[in-house]
Amino acid sequence: MTTRRPAVARPSAAPTRIPVTLRDRSYEILVQHGLLARLGEQLSRLGLGPTAVVITNPMVKRLYATRVIRSLKAHGFDVDLLIVPDGEEAKSMRWLNRILDALVRTRRERQTSLVALGGGVVGDLAGFAASAYLRGIPFVQAPTTLVAQVDASIGGKTGVNHPLGKNLVGAFYQPRVVLIDPSALRTLPVRQYRAGLAEVVKYGVIADARLFEFLEGNLP
């Protein structure tokens, strides 16, 4: 069966806001087409700044890093960009240490926000680095895959793999905000898009019959 990616709708005036209520660790998930190009605006509204470090991989860098960095700079942020490898290779103590080394060398302070621009691997790695550096600095999720948008970016799970097992080293560390731009799904390989849809189907099976019925009625 052919899987079609969603068409890109016209941007609405304001993003859809989904609250995640966790007392003093509460945050919002914002969903809007074109939101990556407005990332600096959203972080400014939260009072974050004046510096940010964007963590991404080579593929996502080519597609989206320019608009994110331009948006941050337009709102007064001093921005650095750190590139980690594509895939699970990046989810390791080696690359965690490289990020921490870069933060120390550039003398980043508690006002620095780490922005995870990419899929679940980038989000897990950047989130764990944010939880560890200076005992915790602001962390922002900007997921670009469907699995990350519906699963990995939500709930505060961060961490890296260990030679003896997957996800054995990490922490629960909530982001300050999750910024979801569905336009990013247009560049997602069909296989990864289907993997994200499988997660959505699971949610319907587990907890939401109406969602499952909607999915059955809208398979294309």
Side-chain angles (χ1 to χ4, degrees):
M1 182 183 70
T2 301
T3 303
R4 295 181 297 186
R5 300 179 186 83
V8 176
R10 293 182 179 179
S12 57
T16 299
R17 297 178 178 272
I18 304 169
V20 179
T21 306
L22 297 169
R23 296 186 180 180
D24 59 338
R25 298 174 296 144
S26 297
Y27 58 95
E28 288 187 319
I29 303 165
L30 307 185
V31 185
Q32 185 182 36
H33 287 281
L35 196 56
L36 289 177
R38 299 177 57 196
L39 191 141
E41 173 191 341
Q42 298 300 330
L43 268 56
S44 293
R45 287 183 175 179
L46 289 172
L48 299 178
T51 61
V53 176
V54 178
I55 299 175
T56 191
N57 62 40
M59 181 180 296
V60 178
K61 173 183 178 290
R62 290 193 297 271
L63 294 169
Y64 301 114
T66 297
R67 71 188 69 178
V68 167
I69 291 171
R70 184 184 298 128
S71 175
L72 287 166
K73 288 184 175 180
H75 287 83
F77 284 83
D78 173 28
V79 186
D80 272 350
L81 180 66
L82 297 180
I83 307 299
V84 301
D86 291 320
E88 287 285 318
E89 177 188 350
K91 199 170 169 180
S92 65
M93 293 298 296
R94 175 190 175 196
W95 282 99
L96 173 68
N97 285 331
R98 288 194 177 192
I99 292 172
L100 296 176
D101 287 347
L103 296 174
V104 172
R105 282 197 308 270
T106 54
R107 299 186 178 183
R108 295 303 182 183
E109 298 182 349
R110 293 185 187 277
Q111 293 77 22
T112 297
S113 297
L114 286 194
V115 179
L117 176 64
V121 167
V122 169
D124 283 0
L125 175 64
F128 191 30
S131 75
Y133 186 66
L134 298 178
R135 298 188 176 93
I137 61 175
F139 168 48
V140 174
Q141 284 271 22
T144 58
T145 69
L146 187 53
V147 171
Q149 290 179 357
V150 302
D151 180 33
S153 67
I154 302 161
K157 291 184 293 184
T158 73
V160 297
N161 299 328
H162 186 275
L164 297 181
K166 188 175 173 65
N167 294 325
L168 292 182
V169 183
F172 283 95
Y173 191 69
Q174 304 298 336
R176 292 293 299 274
V177 66
V178 179
L179 301 168
I180 295 178
D181 186 342
S183 304
L185 302 181
R186 295 184 66 185
T187 58
L188 195 65
V190 170
R191 181 180 177 86
Q192 290 190 31
Y193 185 61
R194 288 174 174 166
L197 287 178
E199 290 296 321
V200 176
V201 171
K202 268 191 350 188
Y203 300 151
V205 172
I206 293 168
D208 194 330
R210 290 180 61 189
L211 172 61
F212 188 75
E213 290 171 1
F214 171 83
L215 294 169
E216 280 192 307
N218 294 274
L219 286 178

